[in-house]
Amino acid sequence: MSEGENRTLSAKLGRFAVVGVLNTVIDFATFTALIALSFAPLLANFLGWAVAVIFSFAVNSRWTFERAERFSLHRAFAKFAVSGSIISLGSSTLAVYLLPPLTGLFAAKLIGIVIGAILNFFAARWSIEDRIV
């Protein structure tokens, strides 16, 4: 039995939250740096998300979740990236596109990240552990 097997749901949620905070910092820092370099907001949003999703998968698949019996790195990453693109990239892109007149660009980005993070826990668990509940 390897370390990390039979981790409780609360332990997984705690670890996922730690990774999520780091993801938020990585995503937001990349986004901010690219905006400072005059990248278009939607492109900067996509690139910030891409950097964060690679970090997130690497850490969550080794530290947060227990790998499924039939874990395949390529298949799990594809599921993780596709679900992440629908959830976190989708929510942050919608926020960056729709909310700046109401909140400002950087607040819109943070709102999108928070909404995506809440939904992403279950998507990450599905892609790595091959289960939702």
Side-chain angles (χ1 to χ4, degrees), residues 5 53 61 83 96 114 124 127:
E5 285 189 29
V53 81
S61 68
S83 63
V96 165
V114 169
S127 64

Side-chain angles (χ1 to χ4, degrees), residues 6-112:
N6 299 318
R7 221 175 266 129
T8 66
L9 182 59
S10 62
K12 291 174 188 177
L13 282 167
R15 287 176 180 225
F16 188 79
V18 169
V19 175
V21 168
L22 295 173
N23 280 346
T24 300
V25 170
I26 290 167
D27 187 349
F28 196 75
T30 303
F31 176 78
T32 301
L34 293 173
I35 291 296
L37 293 170
S38 299
F39 278 65
L42 292 178
L43 178 58
N45 181 63
F46 172 77
L47 294 173
W49 170 83
V51 171
V53 81
I54 291 167
F55 169 81
S56 179
F57 179 78
V59 177
N60 279 319
S61 68
R62 288 174 177 79
W63 186 62
T64 305
F65 296 104
E66 300 154 21
R67 291 183 175 188
E69 287 286 325
R70 57 190 187 282
F71 181 82
S72 160
L73 180 65
H74 294 99
R75 183 171 177 253
F77 182 76
K79 286 168 61 177
F80 189 85
V82 168
S83 63
S85 66
I86 293 167
I87 296 168
S88 61
L89 181 59
S91 64
S92 67
T93 298
L94 281 172
V96 165
Y97 184 73
L98 296 174
L99 296 179
L102 302 171
T103 64
L105 182 60
F106 296 106
K109 173 68 174 173
L110 286 174
I111 290 167

Side-chain angles (χ1 to χ4, degrees), residues 110-128:
L110 286 174
I111 290 167
I113 288 172
V114 169
I115 291 168
I118 292 166
L119 299 174
N120 242 352
F121 175 80
F122 297 102
R125 190 164 185 207
W126 166 71
S127 64
I128 295 166

